[in-house]
Amino acid sequence: MSNYNRYGLLIDLDFCTGCHTCEVACKQALDLPTGQFGIKVHQEGPRKLENGKWEYTFVPFPTSLCNLCEDRVKVGKLPSCVHHCSPGIMHYGTIEELTAKANAKPHMVLFAPQ
Amino acid sequence: MMSTYDELYRKEWQWQEGDLTVTRSMQWSGPGCHNGCGLLYYTKDNKIVKIEGDPNSPYNQGRLCMRCLNLTESLEHKDRLKWPLKRIGERGENKWQRISWNEALDIIEANVRKIQKEYGPESICGMVGTGRNICWQVPLLTYAGFGSPNFGYSFLSGDSCFSPRAAFIAVTHGDFSVCDCSQFHEDRYDNPEYKVPEVILIWGNNPIHSNSDDFLGHWIVELMKRGTRLIVVDPKLTWLAGRAEYWLQLRPGTDAALGLGMLNVIINENLYDQEFVEKWTYGFEELAERVRQYPVDKVAEITWVPKEQIEEAARFFAQAKPGAIQWGLKVDQSVAGVPAAQAIATIGAICGFIDIPGSNIYIRDAYDILSSYGTGYEEFLSPEMRAKRLGDEKYPLKRMGVGPTAHADSVLVALETGKPYPVKMLWIQTSNPIANMGADAPRLYKAIRTTDFNVVVDLYMTPTAVACADLVLPAGMSPERNGYKTWWHPLRSTSKIVQYYECKSDEQIVLEVGKRLAPQNFPWETDIDLINWMFSRSATYKEDFQTLQQKVTDYQKYEYKKYEKGLLRFDGETGFNTPTGKLELYSTLFAEWGLDPLPYFEEPPYSPVSTPLKSKEYPFILTTGARSLEFFHSEHRQLKTMREFHPDPLFDINSEIAAEMGIQEGDWCWLENHNGRCRQRAHLDPALSRKVIRAEHGWWFPEMEGSEPALFGVFDSNSNNLTEQCQNGPTGYGAPYANTICKVYKATEENSLDLPSLVVTRKGGF
Ligand code: SF4
Ligand code: SF4
Ligand code: SF4
């Protein structure tokens, strides 16, 4: 597959609340047993910054098990994590589309799991 | 073949997708939650195969949280109750015999008639927990079936969840107000009238973790994306607090003082909306006089919030165009819960942030279809019987019908003392009070075992059922029941699409029991007939359940500025639904009832200020009831996925003080005070005050032995071993769940020999 056609997940770090929805949505989609995750939420902070504000950020990290919900995507659905993300801050699309989105706003991470 | 999104997610009620039937419905529990998100059930052969969020639901737009995504695990769980059970051993032995529904109804009928005859109907108390859709069903059974006025929350001290806020605001505003996140518009943020609040003041809740009252926390994040900025009042650095402009880290239980301090700034710096205050409010002079007693210096000292922060946050809020307040449970959970609610709501009121787009807006139940705890109270009970309701003799708000429940603490006292009359039967539906709801769990445990007869209706065998039930009835979960939700808007339906063994919906159970006990009051054949009767009592709703089921959600047009349009008062005049027709900053009714008409602060019964000596021994302030994403109160503890994410009970402690005490992340520790102790695992939090401990509630361990002394370990980690009943404000509302005191020490083998469950069930208590 050429890079142009690769798909990925774009996640807005400003608004990921660490709600773990994506993890459970993924477990359901991939039917994963206890202890296994297709996406795992990591936490940074809370840590007090020198300006008095707090660093308190979550980063959902697609693991090697993530297949970008190929079965769902095939029939026209969104990946389960994207569909269910509580604040709606995950996006699915081609790397090209997502790069354009990522350029429009700071604090985004783009994953291309496959 | 690729389908289009619209074909995959349709707007009709039901459709076929391959060999799966897809049904649109909403989750209105159990297992519990207060929200009612729209979801899609995919079924095959009377089985739910999977669940997805419904993208066509304006409420949640397809999004779900981990509990709903995990619902399938609960529906099929091996521990679920499947049929009625009759106790065969002693209470507490957890020995049961399967019986038929008919036999169960026979037993209920025989016991109710006997107790009614010997002690009077008032000696039977109907009780519910929270979360499942049981707001009107059990009240109806209590009033129309048992003939008793005593319906209430199961020992929720001071009714201190939502009721204090609701009662106060009903008296002074004449309505209930909520933070406008566009939730009452079908087109949500696109609605042309809607305006995004510039500032939201989040007080005493973390709506992302708590299943706030018909309020989806993530709406706030949607507003943040659209520019809303936050002030967060919370002892804990929540994720929202971490992103707030101002995080006011107050001393637990001092909310009223902080509110008064902010009012002081807003009034003295003339930041309030003078036109609104003049035209629409009553008692501003008195309020201004009162806030003079709360200069910011003094408030800073009481609340531990630095003076500058109070001032800046107050200015920031008052200057927003507009601001809104999202308040939550912790407002209710101090003795001064009502005056705290009064102070907080008054901040928004004098700024004029009332019923305008993006402010705090007034809302009533959809189509005014009744769904309250008072359902049937007037119709089915004589004035003489109503006068017997427990707590009414003491509390005018109850007597005047502001609070539609028997006073929970008074029920406990009646159980214990037989005064003013004995309580001989409890009907507990969807509630597990010794696991989380009542303060002083060990005390409740003793009291609920003294009755002649108890029925527990639930999803699983619970510690409360083992401890006290004579009969346990299996309730259906969300997709196993026809129901509706009129907790504000929209009007929503849930549909029964599968049947699990012999479980029945709460509506069915109430109907069948009611028909046995008082057939004249329960003339309906089916649950749907009963629901249609509830609908028929609305003056504006002209449809029936079947129609609603097809629609799933039904939005009414939302009107702003109702006080200007004559839409709030029953006489059709402009203004507010209060005695003065104004929004009462000074409550004329409170004054009439001998209560303080203005907001005030009062120290919690135990605090470094009110009990300095005791606080030497118990140096931390303890807040209980911390919420997490995985659980709703005492529910979900059976589910392996939820326990994978959250295996053990946790308490938060400041990282530095933990280090000084040799406590590391994950260490089991004892929390203890004069009332009792419990053990939880430490979670180190660098942002929490060194003086505060924040403990979870609702813990029991379904994987443990159910019979006593273990009783599913219900007392071992129970933070309500440390809280107390019967410390309410003069209104009867409010209790210090979130502001008592404790000490902390590491759990060792030696100090853990007698676990609390053994101590409570076998050794006479702490
Ligand atoms: S896209 Fe990947 S991480 Fe997301 S649900 Fe699908 S498999 Fe899991
Ligand atoms: S569902 Fe969304 S907000 Fe929640 S943890 Fe995952 S990415 Fe973050
Ligand atoms: S908030 Fe969560 S548990 Fe409650 S209805 Fe919505 S998705 Fe379900």
Side-chain angles (χ1 to χ4, degrees), chain B residues 39 42 128 179 263 271 298 357 383 387 390 466 481 490 499 528 612 748:
Chain B
L39 42 64
Y42 293 78
V128 298
C179 173
L263 284 169
L271 301 174
K298 179 174 153 187
L390 291 166
V466 173
R481 58 189 298 200
Q499 171 68 41
I528 293 179
T748 62

Side-chain angles (χ1 to χ4, degrees), chain A residues 8-9 22-30 32 37-40 61-63 65-70 72-73 78-82 90 92 113:
Chain A
L9 298 172
C22 49
E23 291 172 293
V24 180
C26 182
K27 275 172 162 293
Q28 302 283 352
L30 299 182
L32 297 174
F37 296 87
I39 187 163
K40 189 89 178 73
F61 172 76
T63 74
L65 299 181
C66 169
N67 63 10
L68 281 174
C69 280
E70 53 188 26
R72 289 178 61 95
V73 172
L78 285 170
S80 188
C81 56
V82 176
M90 295 182 86
Y92 170 80

Side-chain angles (χ1 to χ4, degrees), chain A residues 51-78:
Chain A
N51 65 7
K53 295 266 164 204
W54 290 86
E55 180 71 59
Y56 191 0
T57 307
F58 296 97
V59 190
F61 172 76
T63 74
S64 60
L65 299 181
C66 169
N67 63 10
L68 281 174
C69 280
E70 53 188 26
D71 293 344
R72 289 178 61 95
V73 172
K74 221 182 305 171
V75 296
K77 296 195 171 194
L78 285 170

